[in-house]
Amino acid sequence: MKYKKIVGSMLIVSSVLLFVGCSSGTAKKTDDSKKKDGKIEQVAKFGIPQEIASIDPAKATDKVSFGVMNQIYEGFYRMDEKNIPQPAGAKELAEVSEDGLTYTLKLREESKWSNGDPVVAKDYVYAWQRVVKPETASEYAYLLENVKNGKAIMAGEKEPTELGIEAVNEHEVKITLDHAIPYFDSLLAFPSFFPLNEKSVEEFGKDAFNTSEKVIYNGPFTLAEFDGPGSDIEWKYLKNKDYWDEKEVKIGEVQATVIKEASTALNLYEDGQLDDVIVTGELAKQYKDDPNFVGEKDGRVVYIDTNKKSKKVPFDNLNLRKALYYSIDNKAIVDTVLGDGSEAVNGIVPKELALNPETKKDFVDESGKYKTYDEKKAKDYLEKAKKELNTKEITFDILTDDNDSTKKLAEYLQGSFKDKLGIKTTVTPVTKPIRLERTDKGDFDMVVTAWGADYTDVSSFLDLFVTGNSYNRGEYSSKSYDKLIDEARTKNATDAKARWKNYLDAEKILLEDDAAVIPVYQVVEGHLRNPDLKGYIAHSAGASYEYKYLEMKK
């Protein structure tokens, strides 16, 4: 164990001992600056709820990893504070053909990698081809399915070099699509579409993204003191002096510490050792009216999935799934378990993600109120399931992340299933990287999970549950559902009205007809933030936060 880990652990333990019971709501003022090369440099300190699972744009799958990559890499575009894509690696928005199938982008000639190499068109070509290579096994490769030949390459039917992206010259990229993608501009700001420095990646091979020292960066920050995915609890972001827009980056250093217990995070915040922490449950309720409390609504929906291919638990039985579906009281969960302003949901798509192209009504308002709480219905469906399964007892395990909010939700579910349905369960909390690994392998019964919008379109959620999608970890399969999603992607890609109806009909099948997953709540993340810290941007779609414009104003 490295010295920094020992110090970090002692700091956390000491803070708990010294500050338990502290509830003033006012953080101590500390000097968030230090000297570097004789100059005063601003420093910001964040409490992070989970370890980094990956810093590989082709392999990352979770919120924390995407957030990290948004600081250290940069693609054609970056999202602004209103979730609108703006030119970043590209010097202007793409020139798009009339049929929506061809995008031409010109790169900033001043953009560099942190090793001094220029960022050029072939860096994008290399990175995109790497994502779709079957051997990469990228779970986000499906986002490139509509890039010309993307689907065939992923199926091993064509070579990666046939992907519809080409370097016209050093600073111009041409992208060709098989079908128009209405939200393609948003994808060009998403980490899976970021460029990579081929020389660096190929030099280190499978170890290319294991530590911060082996990675070459082109974002506003470089990563430092990162010792490996899934285990490191402390790392830093250092201002990238080679970044093309370096003058806009005011903060010199951002320090990140993984803290999973909200009470520990609170103590460190009140002692001035952290500038931003996440609070949940009782602490969120207690601090909700504090002037430094910030409730950030994001495009994440927490939901429950069941392993429909399990050999231990018969989750392929529709009546069993419906019994569990109707037994969960979403409102009680957000009111009594969370208390941070998160909102109970009736569907899998979050509010404020997409509007009807004609009526401008929110998708959530036009879709049905599918997830309701009805204890009588739940018991009736359970009795039907027991008869069909010829069993008197059903037991299973609930897999969850080991942070405060999801652990408490899993424990609530455990009590609820026992009290309302007589079902006995166990709860297994694990680190996020382990939870992702287990669900990837199908090694779970039930899992508490979440999905955040990767881009501002309902397909970001509803495409997940197509048969064979890498994120369809419960292995739901419906021919009628698949047909609707395929029509929305292809035949109706440029028919906004028909495409909208495809997705409305698909959500009905997923939830009302098949109870395939159980939506619970849309996340509002409760933060306590140093009032001197300005310029933090939270995104409801794509990478969820932005440090580029941070500034410590005293």
Side-chain angles (χ1 to χ4, degrees):
M1 182 177 284
K2 289 180 70 175
Y3 176 71
K4 71 169 185 172
K5 301 299 185 302
I6 297 170
V7 172
S9 299
M10 289 174 63
L11 175 69
I12 291 171
V13 172
S14 299
S15 299
V16 174
L17 294 173
L18 288 171
F19 299 104
V20 166
C22 214
S23 59
S24 66
T26 304
K28 289 184 183 179
K29 294 281 184 178
T30 57
D31 184 12
D32 286 310
S33 62
K34 65 181 189 178
K35 281 192 175 182
K36 188 173 183 180
D37 299 327
K39 296 179 181 177
I40 298 295
E41 190 173 63
Q42 294 185 13
V43 178
K45 302 166 189 174
F46 283 76
I48 306 295
Q50 296 286 164
E51 300 87 351
I52 300 172
S54 177
I55 54 171
D56 181 347
K59 303 287 279 184
T61 63
D62 65 292
K63 174 182 174 172
V64 169
S65 297
F66 286 137
V68 171
M69 289 189 294
N70 197 43
Q71 321 313 319
I72 60 178
Y73 304 122
E74 184 167 83
F76 292 112
Y77 300 157
R78 293 186 86 86
M79 289 293 197
D80 67 14
E81 66 276 8
K82 295 181 180 178
N83 281 331
I84 298 171
Q86 300 295 342
K91 60 183 178 182
E92 57 193 28
L93 294 176
E95 179 185 322
V96 186
S97 63
E98 195 171 328
D99 60 7
L101 297 179
T102 305
Y103 284 67
T104 304
L105 295 117
K106 294 179 180 178
L107 304 182
R108 293 184 187 277
E109 295 182 11
E110 67 271 33
S111 187
K112 291 181 181 179
W113 293 101
S114 54
N115 67 349
D117 290 348
V119 179
V120 292
K122 68 177 184 179
D123 296 330
Y124 286 88
V125 175
Y126 168 74
W128 287 30
Q129 290 177 354
R130 182 172 175 269
V131 170
V132 297
K133 279 183 181 178
E135 55 266 38
T136 302
S138 170
E139 293 188 37
Y140 263 89
Y142 74 95
L143 290 180
L144 282 84
E145 279 187 356
N146 277 351
V147 176
K148 186 178 179 181
N149 297 327
K151 199 167 187 178
I153 296 166
M154 285 178 254
E157 297 166 3
K158 291 194 174 186
E159 292 299 312
T161 52
E162 297 179 79
L163 186 68
I165 179 171
E166 61 180 292
V168 177
N169 56 52
E170 274 208 340
H171 294 99
E172 188 171 324
V173 178
K174 181 181 177 184
I175 301 164
T176 306
L177 308 179
D178 279 330
H179 302 282
I181 304 175
Y183 48 87
F184 195 60
D185 277 349
S186 292
L187 291 181
L188 296 180
F190 192 67
S192 303
F193 294 77
F194 286 173
L196 286 173
N197 184 284
E198 180 177 1
K199 181 171 63 177
S200 168
V201 176
E202 295 301 322
E203 178 185 351
F204 293 109
K206 65 180 182 180
D207 296 323
F209 300 94
N210 282 352
T211 66
S212 50
E213 286 76 19
K214 292 179 180 177
V215 182
I216 304 299
Y217 310 98
N218 73 324
F221 299 92
T222 61
L223 195 61
E225 300 182 22
F226 173 65
D227 298 332
S231 59
D232 205 349
I233 63 166
E234 291 178 313
W235 60 89
K236 293 179 180 179
Y237 305 89
L238 305 178
K239 182 176 178 177
N240 182 2
K241 298 297 169 52
D242 293 312
Y243 180 55
W244 68 270
D245 202 22
E246 182 259 350
K247 67 181 185 302
E248 289 295 324
V249 183
K250 303 295 191 298
I251 209 88
E253 180 178 310
V254 179
Q255 300 173 3
T257 305
V258 175
I259 303 171
K260 299 183 181 182
E261 299 295 331
S263 58
T264 303
L266 172 64
N267 292 330
L268 292 170
Y269 171 80
E270 292 199 320
D271 188 42
Q273 296 183 56
L274 291 174
D275 297 303
D276 183 283
V277 297
I278 296 171
V279 288
T280 58
E282 290 302 317
L283 290 177
K285 293 178 195 174
Q286 181 181 343
Y287 282 82
K288 204 168 179 183
D289 296 326
D290 189 284
N292 297 335
F293 180 88
V294 182
E296 290 175 346
K297 188 172 188 174
D298 76 25
R300 266 188 305 155
V301 170
V302 171
Y303 67 95
I304 297 159
D305 204 354
T306 52
N307 186 348
K308 295 152 195 74
K309 295 292 178 71
S310 171
K311 294 179 181 177
K312 296 185 292 180
V313 190
F315 286 126
D316 58 342
N317 182 278
L318 177 59
N319 285 319
L320 175 57
R321 294 202 306 270
K322 287 197 169 184
L324 299 172
Y325 186 90
Y326 287 109
S327 73
I328 297 170
D329 187 346
N330 291 2
K331 189 171 187 311
I333 289 169
V334 298
D335 289 346
T336 63
V337 179
L338 302 172
D340 56 6
S342 293
E343 299 177 7
V345 294
N346 299 114
I348 194 66
V349 176
K351 290 180 182 176
E352 299 176 16
L353 177 66
L355 302 177
N356 183 314
E358 291 188 330
T359 67
K360 303 305 177 187
K361 285 187 178 179
D362 195 297
F363 184 88
V364 172
D365 295 330
E366 293 203 350
S367 191
K369 295 189 181 302
Y370 300 121
K371 175 60 192 85
T372 56
Y373 168 59
D374 191 321
E375 191 172 340
K376 183 180 184 306
K377 263 189 184 181
K379 288 177 177 177
D380 289 345
Y381 279 120
L382 183 61
E383 288 309 307
K384 289 178 185 177
K386 284 180 176 178
K387 286 179 183 177
E388 290 170 353
L389 297 167
N390 193 28
T391 186
K392 292 183 179 179
E393 186 176 64
I394 294 168
T395 63
F396 54 85
D397 181 70
I398 305 171
L399 181 67
T400 181
D401 292 344
D402 61 350
N403 60 48
D404 260 5
S405 59
T406 51
K407 273 199 303 184
K408 286 175 181 173
L409 171 55
E411 289 161 2
Y412 174 89
L413 294 173
Q414 182 181 38
S416 181
F417 291 149
K418 185 175 185 299
D419 295 342
K420 294 168 186 173
L421 300 177
I423 292 176
K424 294 180 181 178
T425 61
T426 53
V427 173
T428 302
V430 296
T431 64
K432 179 166 279 188
I434 291 174
R435 194 261 293 170
L436 293 171
E437 181 183 355
R438 284 189 54 179
T439 51
D440 285 347
K441 293 177 179 176
D443 180 19
F444 71 99
D445 300 332
M446 172 181 280
V447 61
V448 177
T449 185
W451 189 258
D454 296 325
Y455 48 89
T456 51
D457 189 82
V458 293
S459 62
S460 182
F461 279 81
L462 293 173
D463 285 9
L464 300 178
F465 305 104
V466 168
T467 303
N469 186 294
S470 54
Y471 288 99
N472 183 2
R473 290 174 171 127
E475 296 206 52
Y476 168 68
S477 183
S478 162
K479 288 182 180 178
S480 54
Y481 184 87
D482 292 351
K483 183 178 182 228
L484 288 167
I485 300 299
D486 186 61
E487 282 184 1
R489 285 178 178 173
T490 56
K491 173 184 162 187
N492 295 328
T494 56
D495 184 341
K497 183 177 180 181
R499 183 174 181 273
W500 187 260
K501 188 172 188 309
N502 284 151
Y503 282 118
L504 287 171
D505 292 345
E507 191 182 39
K508 181 179 184 299
I509 292 172
L510 181 77
L511 300 179
E512 184 175 272
D513 297 353
D514 292 345
V517 294
I518 307 171
V520 184
Y521 65 91
Q522 182 171 351
V523 175
V524 172
E525 197 169 75
H527 288 248
L528 284 170
R529 184 170 298 148
N530 182 345
D532 293 337
L533 185 63
K534 308 295 182 184
Y536 180 92
I537 296 175
H539 296 299
S540 60
S544 57
Y545 52 91
E546 179 78 69
Y547 290 164
K548 178 178 175 179
Y549 302 103
L550 286 180
E551 190 171 0
M552 195 66 71
K553 291 188 174 180
K554 302 272 182 180

